[in-house]
Amino acid sequence: MTWLLGICSLWLLPVMALAQKHFEVSLQNSVNVMPKQSYHRTGVKTDCLDGFMRLTRKLSTKLNVPSSSDGSQFEPLTPNLASKCGFSIDSDHWGNYKVFASLLNCFAGNMDDTDFRIDLRVRMRGVNKAEQDAFQVGETCTYDQWAPREILCDRNFMEVSVNRLPGEIKAFKPRSAKAQTFDQWSDSVSEAITSKYDIWRMVFFTPKQKAILLDDALKAGYAITTTSSRLVLRSGFDMPETYAENVTGVPMKIIKVTTYFKKQWSVTMLDTVAACPTGGLSFTEEMITWYYPQISPVMSSTDVTYLAMHMGIDGKKIDSAHMEARGYNLTTVEDQIVMTIPVGGPDGYYKSQAVNNLYYIIYVIEPMLELLWSEGGMDATRQRILFPIKTPLAPRPPQFVDLTDVEQRMFIVVLGTFLQDVELVNLTFSSGVLTVDEAIARGFNVQEQLFQNGSKAFRFQVPFSDPFVVRKQVDLRYTIYAITIIYGFMIQPESTPFSYVANLKVNLQDVVLPTLDGSCDDEKFYITISNGNLVDNYNIMLGQEDLTPSQIAEYGIKENTTHTVLAVPFLSSEIAFELMYPTSLRARVDVLVWDPVNKWSLSDFSLACNFPMTMTECFSNGSISALAVKVDAVPELVPHHLTLRDPSCTPIFSDDRFAYFSFDANSCGTIRRFYDGIMIYHNEITLPNWRPNHQEPKSEPFDSEYRVTISCFYTINDTQMITFSTKPRESDPMVEVGYGELQVILRLAFDGSYTGFYLEGDYPVVQFLARPLFFEVTLLQATDPQIELVLENCWATQQKNRSSTPKWDLVVNGCWNPADTHLTVFHPVLPGSVPFPSHVKRFEIQMFTFTQNNIASQDQLFVHCDAVLCDVNQIDAICNRQCPSSAPVHTAKKGQRDAETNRLQRTRLSSGKILLSSS
């Protein structure tokens, strides 16, 4: 046979999973010999051959005849029962079954050893009960050419029968339990008990002698019976009393038994021996050679004359014309009989095999050798040997042909060739297993391609865009499209599985890299990313860190199939500060688009802008405030370590990026100079004699890498006229409005005592839903009792962004939120508990305030407030707000909102992350 994909195919069929049917045979005792019947309509054919019957059944034939038996009289044909009773079953990969039955089998009806009736019930069982068909079949065979000794070797048993029984010895007849018969043997020899077939005892040769009673031999699995003229012995090849012997290089299995029959005054012994080959084969790629010894163990002497020698196929003798047409040869060479059979002939067939998940084929044929001989001119012996032959495994690795169409962006592959007994049952991908039907339903193109020589292949087609295809960028220009397919096959009818792994890969130069652009306003950077064709296969890095999901939500990222846009506040932690000016801060955003799998930089971008920001303020009362910023040029700077000229003057507030100083002009080492009527105050913010990572300070002076100069200018030649009068004024004195910065902080207390607070490093803070939160808003570094801190609005969000949603209002226009079922509770600040009670506001919120769709939130939250600094005598509406209750929140004064409200100095405050927990 030719195993190439180049052979012209006949047709293409979608691959379908076929239900494998099973063949069952049940047996019935056939007492009476019945006439022959025809069963062609059931698809079953019976043939009477020499010494046995053959039943064949083709799977493709439709079953039409129901069973007329209720099944109670039939016994299933199991492997043990088959070898004991003279049956064998074989099948090919097309689903055709053959049953061989010895005419002397246990269930045959026997009429004078001439006519034999065999009744079987056959069931073809499919996967579903509806596919089961059962019918009864019977055959009557006539055979009267018995040799004195007949030996039959089948694939699973060996049988010998002899007709040398004395006339006095009859076939077994049941005896009446009431019969009173004088038995001299039973009286004088205790072992000589009466048994079936008048058999007293049996001696097996293993080759040593081993005596066994008949009942014990039958229980062990041997078949021993008598007919009207013959003794029949049958044994499986692996029974304990069989033994192996090598005869002229041919391994054989032998059963040898002497049977003792009890007569009234004597004992008769009959020797029965059968020898069957289990080997003797040699193979080439083109030829099978079968050797059989001319002198076998069943012969008692070497004076042997062969009377006939025939070859057969499937149990049927063939003539010389058939042998010549098929290229068969049967000869004798020295002490052996030699049969040669060409490999691949039409009397046999090829069969698939799978070993260690590799695909092989074998050639299967069942020749028969029939010999007739006599020893010393005495009675003849006939031996028939049914000898199924399977050639050694011949590797046939399937060819994998890649027909991928790059222009159509389509994987197309063909895998083959295989024999017809191979079925494709499933396909395994990285994401799971699909049956063939599921793969076709999903859209894969799976076809079975048939060839003229009976072989077949399987065609598979999938586009590059399919989700099962893995897309991987190998560099900045090329993309690999890859898919791994594991073909799952099944060899029928044995249902032997094996698989084949196919790896498909295409490398295309089709990468369009992302590009970046950006702009600024007074508060934010705006970054636009053009995705190219990578879509989501990249990460966005701001500064030194990838964007987190919370940052993505905070920066309001908008994306579609082509672009991604994000807005980043210039005070975000990912922004680098480059330079400080008196009224602005130069900040830079570094954006990197990169592949996290391959660690490739796909595109980078930097944008620096100046943002309005007051860095130094000089107040008319002689106080100065300054803001120091950690710049990119000093990456190891810790703002908390910064000081003024006087090292004892440290920041009144600092974090990991800012340090805020507030001091009098005549303190902290400030230097005063005069220039042409201008008085200048100078100070510096520097890094003292410290090293990062808690290293020991240097003994010599430390030359700071960080230095910020603070300067305030005052005019000294200006004259102010002050009017003084001893008369009472008609109006209250007015204070000239001044501007300055005071620091207000929002912090979370441990409990309602407000004696302990969470620090910046304690966040995120975990709070249970059953507990309230206690917040305090405090004005720092202020000593003026005429200043009052007022809460204008407070709210909570799930994101750090103050304007994100959802949003829960806590304080509205200075009062609790009337729409909230859990009102915010304001706690008074008692005199003496803090230096300036008007500089502190305290409030309590319930955790059950934060609900969505009446379900308490169990996520995270941030609390935000807008605070206003008021003069205690100010008449602005928010500074004198009175809430709808008998208990005022701020003051009892009532005023109207006017234009002054818009001129108030508001402070924006936010807490750290608070995690909500239910347990």
Side-chain angles (χ1 to χ4, degrees), residues 671-682 711-718:
I671 299 174
R672 184 181 62 187
R673 293 188 175 90
F674 297 90
Y675 297 97
D676 298 330
I678 301 296
M679 183 171 58
I680 303 175
Y681 289 91
H682 286 285
S711 298
C712 283
F713 299 81
Y714 293 90
T715 303
I716 60 176
N717 291 332
D718 191 12

Side-chain angles (χ1 to χ4, degrees), residues 517-521 524-528 566 589 605 607 609 611:
D517 195 7
S519 62
C520 304
D521 60 12
K524 296 180 179 180
F525 292 96
Y526 296 92
I527 309 300
T528 301
L566 61 155
V589 62
F605 176 75
L607 175 64
C609 298
F611 295 91

Side-chain angles (χ1 to χ4, degrees), residues 2 30 46 53 96 125 221 288 297 299 328 340 422 460 476 480 483 488 525 583 776 800 883 913:
T2 303
S30 301
T46 57
M53 184 201 77
N96 301 321
R125 187 182 63 194
I288 301 170
M299 300 172 180
Y328 303 143
T340 57
V422 173
F460 178 79
L476 296 181
I480 287 181
I483 185 171
F525 292 96
T583 58
E776 178 181 277
K800 188 176 181 181
C883 299
K913 182 188 297 184

Side-chain angles (χ1 to χ4, degrees), residues 262-368:
K262 176 179 72 65
K263 294 193 299 181
Q264 186 174 4
W265 301 108
S266 64
V267 173
T268 300
M269 297 183 297
L270 288 181
D271 291 332
T272 50
V273 58
C276 296
T278 57
L281 295 170
S282 67
F283 301 93
T284 66
E285 291 186 1
E286 296 80 19
M287 192 67 67
I288 301 170
T289 304
W290 177 21
Y291 300 92
Y292 186 79
Q294 290 194 48
I295 304 301
S296 73
V298 299
M299 300 172 180
S300 58
S301 70
T302 59
D303 184 14
V304 177
T305 301
Y306 278 96
L307 306 176
M309 186 181 302
H310 300 282
M311 178 181 178
I313 297 294
D314 292 335
K316 185 176 182 180
K317 287 189 292 187
I318 58 177
D319 56 23
S320 58
H322 188 144
M323 293 178 61
E324 183 177 358
R326 296 287 193 261
Y328 303 143
N329 191 20
L330 182 61
T331 60
T332 58
V333 178
E334 297 179 354
D335 56 352
Q336 290 182 324
I337 300 171
V338 181
M339 182 185 296
T340 57
I341 303 171
V343 175
D347 289 334
Y349 59 90
Y350 282 97
K351 184 76 182 73
S352 298
Q353 299 284 308
V355 179
N356 296 328
N357 208 39
L358 298 178
Y359 182 64
Y360 300 86
I361 64 169
I362 60 173
Y363 178 70
V364 180
I365 190 169
E366 185 166 337
M368 179 184 75

